[in-house]
Amino acid sequence: MVFAILQRLAQMLFVLFGISALVFLIFFATPGSDPAARIAGRNAAQETVEAIRKDFGFDRPLPVQYAIMMEKLFVSRDLTSFVNRGLEVVPQVMRAAPITLSLVFGAAVLWVVGSIAVGVLAAMTRDTIIDKGLMILALIGVSMPVFWLGELLNLVSQSRFHDTFLFSWVPGLGYKPFFDGPWLWFKTLVIPWFTLAALYIGIYGRVLRANLVETYQEDYIRTARAKGLSPSRVMIRHALRMSLIPFVTMFGMDFGVLVGGAALLTEVVFGLNGVGRLTYQAMLNLDLPMILATVMYASFFVVVTNALVDILYVVIDPRVRGN
Amino acid sequence: MQETSSVNAPLLDVQGLSVSFSTDRGRVKAIDDVSFKVAEGEILSIVGESGSGKSVTLMSLLGLNDPKTTFVDGAVSFRGRHLLEMPDRELRRLRGKEIGLISQDPMTALTPVYTIGWQIAEQIRAHENVSKSAALKRAVELLAAVGLPNPDEAKDRYPHQLSGGMRQRAVIAMALSCNPKLLVADEPTTALDVTVQAQVLDLLLRLRDDFGSAIILITHDMGVVAEVADRVHVMYAGRIVEKGAAEAIFERPMHPYSWGLMASIPPIDGPRLPRLPSIPGMPPSPEAIPPGCAFAPRCRFARAACAERPPQRREGDHTVLCVLDAKEREELRASVLGEAVAA
Ligand SMILES: Nc1ncnc2c1ncn2[C@@H]1O[C@H](COP(=O)(O)OP(=O)(O)OP(=O)(O)O)[C@@H](O)[C@H]1O
Ligand code: SF4
Ligand SMILES: [Mg+2]
């Protein structure tokens, strides 16, 4: 088991290397375009372009260019954005990352707990009013656009009813760091968490219910019932345990992508300057160094969560343990 | 506890059991007026082709059908207690403790993510107030009793790490874990290869002697029946068409369908036949069962009278649902099974 995990970690490093090389090639070695000019941005002075060419070694062979770029990104961390008047890129990502992580972690807790509750309750009360009601709610959750839900909640909690006892606790928009006060941090993020989680509670709840209903057709569920176990034990220890395997796969993908910046809409609506927003602005400005940094950051999280999911598999499903 | 204390009250008494399902095409009756009894320590075998309703019968006894789509009628009394009217809580206390189930396919009968020791201990702890380690110890003893080599190590194996025969032994060990009075075995050997089949049957016989459990053995394999059954019931299209002691059924089968079954017993060492060669056609699906004798469309001796529900005829405690009278039956049987019986 330990060997399998180490193997998976090594594989992860290899994948990260592959991604960085690929991203580098796409951005800086596309034939017919001058990377130095692209880094310098639109209407840059000729001297700047020359300085960049020298600094990044664009007059040297590709592998050297790649090495210099990685050195700037990971070792000296002084990769600079020229479009943004000399701002260093890495500290910006480092500042945005905790915001996105806070947002996505909290939402993930909500959506895992919420969707398991919805899925299990619906499957246990299958075909009754409760089941149908929950599935309709889940469908509503899936079909509400995030920006719409977010704006709606903002409207209610920030202006319309802000002065009533219901929402007077809601702080103004924008991120409040955890270490400046956990309680304030929590209060700022509750509504964004809920907004981001609504979609996933809907999707995961529906998928989990479908999986559970299917699992109930399995022979081992009949065995479990024939053993005289209580319905809740059959559900949780046998059916849910088996249905969690596909659940974990989905979770790994969605979580990685969200941490990587896909929570953009929620970040924008609630004024959270996270990675999604940073990437978005970099794209608007064609800020190549920043794009490179955020893409590397995003792929790091996607790859890491995938590796974690694979390791989790080994823990929850003995069949993939080999031997 | 026991309401009926008379000495020869059967362990299980099923009277007029009918089961229907609600499907897209309306209500269909899969089991029609089935009655049978099982005495303590007896092995009753229910035989019939695939789809004749054997599993459905068992599942309704245990209350394991989906209550939303299944309608069960009749009276089932187990040690004097009425199973069909029992609230689920109480039934749960019987399931796994007094009635053990061995299911059809050992490959899928165990939850893949738990070790077999854990799964056996889980059942013990569901019914008895014992510690985890004590339950696990019992599990190891049970695995040893069913002949699993190296039981102490086997208890930590996951189902996928065991062969089919070993899994079936584990399933049997689990069914036995609380010393049930009655074991219901739904084709316990069908998914196994021939040598393992023989071992599992031997095991069942030995367990009946050691633990004194009665066994309902469901199968479509007459060879299996011949080897272990005390009594045999032949099921066709949701009805029991013939009942009797095993020797009687093998020596003087009374129902034309049973004749076909007898004629199709493969030679011991020969290949198994996928179909019953001496009975042409297929059994009807539940929605297409004819109102009279269900076997009529395939019966060589069908006549006008067979469109009515056939009468029950008996010879001692050997009974049959068929219009043929004793004399004609003897003649026709000789014509079908002549050589087979003589041999
Ligand atoms: N839940 C259900 N809904 C509708 N029909 C069902 C249901 N369960 C079983 N049946 C039908 O009842 C009939 C009897 O099925 P059953 O599983 O008891 O057959 P069997 O004798 O055990 O066959 P086999 O030897 O293949 O296991 C079949 O025709 C089947 O299609
Ligand atoms: S009742 Fe008629 S159709 Fe049915 S088995 Fe007897 S002879 Fe054949
Ligand atoms: Mg069956």
Side-chain angles (χ1 to χ4, degrees):
Chain A
M1 188 148 144
V2 174
F3 178 74
I5 292 174
L6 284 180
Q7 198 182 13
R8 192 64 189 79
L9 290 175
Q11 216 177 332
M12 186 183 99
L13 287 179
F14 182 76
V15 171
L16 278 176
F17 165 75
I19 292 176
S20 67
L22 202 65
V23 171
F24 169 80
L25 286 176
I26 291 172
F27 285 160
F28 298 106
T30 327
S33 79
D34 177 8
R38 292 174 65 188
I39 289 183
R42 297 185 197 98
N43 318 321
Q46 197 54 41
E47 303 86 77
T48 326
V49 176
E50 279 316 312
I52 291 173
R53 194 185 315 284
K54 213 152 171 33
D55 192 23
F56 284 79
F58 285 134
D59 41 6
R60 297 161 69 184
L62 268 183
V64 179
Q65 294 180 23
Y66 173 77
I68 292 176
M69 189 66 72
M70 291 302 124
E71 195 267 341
K72 280 181 181 302
L73 199 51
F74 292 112
V75 184
S76 59
R77 305 208 201 125
D78 58 356
L79 188 63
T80 315
S81 153
F82 288 85
V83 182
N84 250 331
R85 288 153 276 113
L87 264 181
E88 287 197 350
V89 161
V90 178
Q92 290 210 60
V93 175
M94 285 310 169
R95 221 168 301 132
I99 302 178
T100 298
L101 283 171
S102 301
L103 174 66
V104 177
F105 260 110
V109 170
L110 256 184
W111 101 58
V112 167
V113 173
S115 63
I116 289 181
V118 167
V120 167
L121 191 60
M124 281 189 103
T125 58
R126 197 174 120 215
D127 296 335
T128 63
I129 301 271
I130 301 178
D131 174 28
K132 290 190 179 124
L134 281 173
M135 286 304 102
I136 289 171
L137 277 181
L139 201 58
I140 293 174
V142 174
S143 38
M144 274 189 306
V146 166
F147 56 87
W148 179 82
L149 177 62
E151 287 297 3
L152 181 77
L153 289 175
N154 268 343
L155 185 71
V156 169
S157 67
Q158 297 286 347
S159 48
R160 283 294 161 77
F161 298 99
H162 187 67
D163 298 327
T164 68
F165 71 98
L166 272 177
F167 293 107
S168 53
W169 56 268
V170 182
L173 295 181
Y175 181 71
K176 316 286 186 305
F178 181 80
F179 292 107
D180 292 2
W183 179 229
L184 185 62
W185 171 85
F186 181 83
K187 284 194 294 188
T188 342
L189 284 171
V190 173
I191 293 180
W193 284 339
F194 178 76
T195 307
L196 183 57
L199 165 72
Y200 294 98
I201 293 178
I203 298 179
Y204 282 55
R206 289 180 69 91
V207 169
L208 187 62
R209 175 195 177 273
N211 276 334
L212 285 171
V213 166
E214 206 183 303
T215 306
Y216 263 81
Q217 309 293 319
E218 299 282 348
D219 278 358
Y220 53 77
I221 295 298
R222 197 175 68 188
T223 307
R225 295 178 59 215
K227 283 159 80 170
L229 305 180
S230 68
S232 58
R233 193 171 171 104
V234 172
M235 167 57 85
I236 290 164
R237 299 310 287 262
H238 293 265
L240 181 60
R241 176 66 202 273
M242 291 300 294
S243 301
L244 277 185
I245 296 169
F247 188 92
V248 164
T249 318
M250 272 177 37
F251 180 79
M253 299 219 244
D254 286 333
F255 186 83
V257 169
L258 282 177
V259 172
L264 169 69
L265 291 176
T266 316
E267 290 178 3
V268 170
V269 170
F270 293 102
L272 304 168
N273 289 314
V275 179
R277 210 167 150 168
L278 197 62
T279 315
Y280 174 67
Q281 279 158 355
M283 299 266 192
L284 281 186
N285 300 332
L286 270 178
D287 185 349
L288 277 196
M290 183 61 94
I291 295 177
L292 180 69
T294 51
V295 168
M296 283 308 298
Y297 157 92
S299 52
F300 173 77
F301 273 101
V302 172
V303 172
V304 167
T305 46
N306 269 315
L308 285 180
V309 162
D310 285 355
I311 291 169
L312 201 58
Y313 265 152
V314 176
V315 176
I316 64 176
D317 189 349
R319 287 169 298 182
V320 302
R321 257 171 239 169
N323 92 49
Chain B
M1 282 297 272
Q2 246 162 306
E3 292 153 35
T4 43
S5 49
S6 90
V7 194
N8 37 12
L11 180 68
L12 179 77
D13 189 353
V14 178
Q15 288 300 332
L17 182 74
S18 294
V19 181
S20 48
F21 295 107
S22 62
T23 67
D24 314 338
R25 284 147 291 141
R27 214 75 170 234
V28 297
K29 205 165 196 174
I31 303 294
D32 189 3
D33 195 16
V34 160
S35 305
F36 60 90
K37 292 180 183 164
V38 184
E40 305 229 3
E42 177 182 65
I43 299 187
L44 168 70
S45 185
I46 301 181
V47 285
E49 272 168 288
S50 185
S52 54
K54 305 177 302 276
S55 302
V56 170
T57 307
L58 282 195
M59 293 312 133
S60 341
L61 298 186
L62 289 168
L64 291 178
N65 284 316
D66 181 356
K68 284 192 212 78
T69 57
T70 317
F71 304 89
V72 183
D73 259 331
V76 177
S77 101
F78 174 75
R79 306 178 82 192
R81 303 165 69 188
H82 295 282
L83 296 189
L84 297 183
E85 286 91 61
M86 210 177 253
D88 196 59
R89 276 188 94 75
E90 252 178 82
L91 192 54
R92 235 154 51 214
R93 259 181 267 148
L94 284 184
R95 286 206 291 252
K97 178 159 175 59
E98 297 192 45
I99 306 179
L101 172 72
I102 301 171
S103 60
Q104 193 156 355
D105 186 356
M107 304 315 268
T108 55
L110 295 163
T111 309
V113 295
Y114 298 115
T115 62
I116 55 171
W118 188 95
Q119 298 193 47
I120 296 174
E122 184 188 33
Q123 176 164 352
I124 296 173
R125 277 163 59 81
H127 296 288
E128 290 167 39
N129 198 0
V130 294
S131 72
K132 250 190 194 132
S133 57
L136 260 181
K137 231 180 101 211
R138 273 262 294 286
V140 174
E141 288 164 15
L142 285 158
L143 289 173
V146 297
L148 215 66
N150 234 334
D152 203 36
E153 187 215 336
K155 77 167 193 308
D156 295 323
R157 300 273 200 98
Y158 291 94
H160 73 279
Q161 296 169 323
L162 301 174
S163 70
M166 285 157 91
R167 281 191 220 189
Q168 192 59 301
R169 283 167 197 270
V171 169
I172 293 174
M174 190 153 85
L176 283 173
S177 59
C178 296
N179 289 328
K181 283 276 164 209
L182 176 66
L183 265 182
V184 291
D186 189 355
E187 312 204 24
T189 58
T190 316
L192 307 174
D193 65 50
V194 184
T195 42
V196 186
Q197 275 188 9
Q199 292 169 9
V200 169
L201 288 179
D202 280 348
L203 173 65
L204 285 179
L205 279 177
R206 189 159 59 72
L207 292 172
R208 188 260 305 260
D209 297 338
D210 294 355
F211 290 76
S213 318
I215 301 177
I216 301 181
L217 178 72
I218 293 218
T219 179
H220 51 240
D221 185 337
M222 290 307 275
V224 169
V225 179
E227 226 164 299
V228 297
D230 298 322
R231 293 173 54 75
V232 178
H233 289 5
V234 179
M235 195 153 186
Y236 186 80
R239 285 180 210 154
I240 292 183
V241 293
E242 180 168 359
K243 306 181 195 181
E247 310 87 66
I249 298 254
F250 278 94
E251 272 160 36
R252 305 161 50 77
M254 289 165 79
H255 197 278
Y257 177 61
S258 313
W259 302 344
L261 289 180
M262 296 300 161
S264 61
I265 300 179
I268 304 264
D269 304 316
R272 308 238 145 198
L273 303 165
R275 280 275 164 72
L276 302 176
S278 50
I279 313 178
M282 295 282 287
S285 59
E287 58 265 37
I289 297 177
C293 173
F295 187 56
R298 298 169 77 188
C299 181
R300 273 197 260 167
F301 316 111
R303 56 206 64 190
C306 303
E308 303 282 313
R309 245 186 132 108
Q312 189 176 68
R313 310 216 181 252
R314 63 170 61 235
E315 277 177 15
D317 70 345
H318 189 170
T319 62
V320 67
L321 288 180
C322 179
V323 296
L324 300 180
D325 60 27
K327 186 162 156 292
E328 194 175 5
R329 186 161 59 231
E330 297 299 324
E331 284 163 15
L332 294 177
R333 175 170 53 218
S335 76
V336 176
L337 292 176
E339 316 84 66
V341 169

